[in-house]
Amino acid sequence: MTHPPRSGEPEQTVLVTGGAGFIGTAISSGLAASFGRVVVVDNLHPQIHATGERPAELHASAELVRGDITDAEVWDSVLATVTPDVIIHLAAETGTGQSLEESTRHTMTNVVGTSQMLDALNRHKKLPRRIVLSSSRAVYGEGAWRRTGADALFYPGQRTSATLDQAQWDFPDAEPTAMKASDVFPAPVSVYGATKLAQENILVAWGKSYGVETAVLRLQNVYGPGQSLINPYTGIMSLFCRMAKSGTSIPLYEDGEVRRDFILIDDVASALVAAATSPTVSDTPLDIGSGEFQTIGTAAAIIAGYYGAPQPHVTGQYRQGDVRHAWADVSAANEVLGWTPQYNLEQGISRLAQWIDSQANVQPA
């Protein structure tokens, strides 16, 4: 088997799995500018695509193939006419809480879908030069923490129902640290996180065996224009906006002090395109986020202020599989890809809210 050329010639082909979704449509223009051919494979799942039609946001030059990545026949049909130089693997089931109740569905898409893709590439003797995986901060679980006054890191593991029922949200006498692949090892606490880590391991092992470059990008909480407004598992930012837009006080889980790294879709798109086109990539996963954390209370307050809604309120509820704190150290992505996030939280929320306000028939959350 031979690999396609390494140069960034415009006649090269990029294949994007799950490319008709939120992230896929956002990167389609950048890919169309960098590659001669853009092929998208997507099953247009009704949880995301209510009408089952081609998204208007997908670049006009992108060739859309409707099919499920877990189906070997779909791959045989695609690879009969497509020789990918680069593959961007976005297709995944993403709901953290949902994954606990539909673990087979998540495992089939995320794990078996990945292995079907690799088997098909072997079967058709069409090895790409590079595979870019959109992974997730969920692979870290609760991540690494540091005891008060100590230098050494420790891994607290999954929070239990017993402690959460008693409103023990944090780990005693400890502070969380930023997620950085070179320093913090993965320890997922959800089925979704476990399947994303499995994707990483499968792709890296396969890639090293066949000399295929693998670029793994661990994304934080992605939000912004184009996010599904009908899928309850796509993130809290669009949900918060819809609540505030309808004049509802936003409910905050736990104590409202949960830390998250909210990154605008524009910044994620530029990172993925950079990973697909960069002359070199890293053997170590790259963390992609805004570079700072915000509490969900802060994000909700900004959104409430934008819409003139009542102030958010703390409910004390919690969700199994959620981690307490998560944010990225993005220094490695800057060093390897020359990538830096461009938008802060206020700018991102303004862009998201303006987009939601422009949509017809937005249903209250």
Side-chain angles (χ1 to χ4, degrees), residues 1-5 83-85 121 124-129 210-212:
M1 287 181 276
T2 60
H3 298 284
T83 301
D85 298 274
L121 292 170
H124 289 264
K125 296 180 170 54
K126 291 187 174 181
L127 300 187
R129 170 173 57 86
Y210 290 102
V212 175

Side-chain angles (χ1 to χ4, degrees), residues 93 99-110 112 191:
E93 295 290 348
S99 71
L100 293 172
E101 300 173 353
E102 299 184 45
S103 56
T104 299
R105 174 181 163 189
H106 281 70
T107 303
M108 280 295 295
T109 299
N110 299 354
V112 176
V191 172

Side-chain angles (χ1 to χ4, degrees), residues 3 22 24 39 50 57 83-84 90 103 105 133 140 158 168 184 200 205-206 208 211 230 248 315 320 331-332:
H3 298 284
F22 175 39
V39 180
E57 299 81 7
T83 301
L90 304 177
S103 56
R105 174 181 163 189
L133 172 66
Y140 290 110
Q158 187 168 358
Q168 295 179 15
V184 179
E200 291 187 13
W206 185 89
K208 286 183 177 180
I230 63 171
T248 300
T315 68
Q320 289 286 0
S331 57

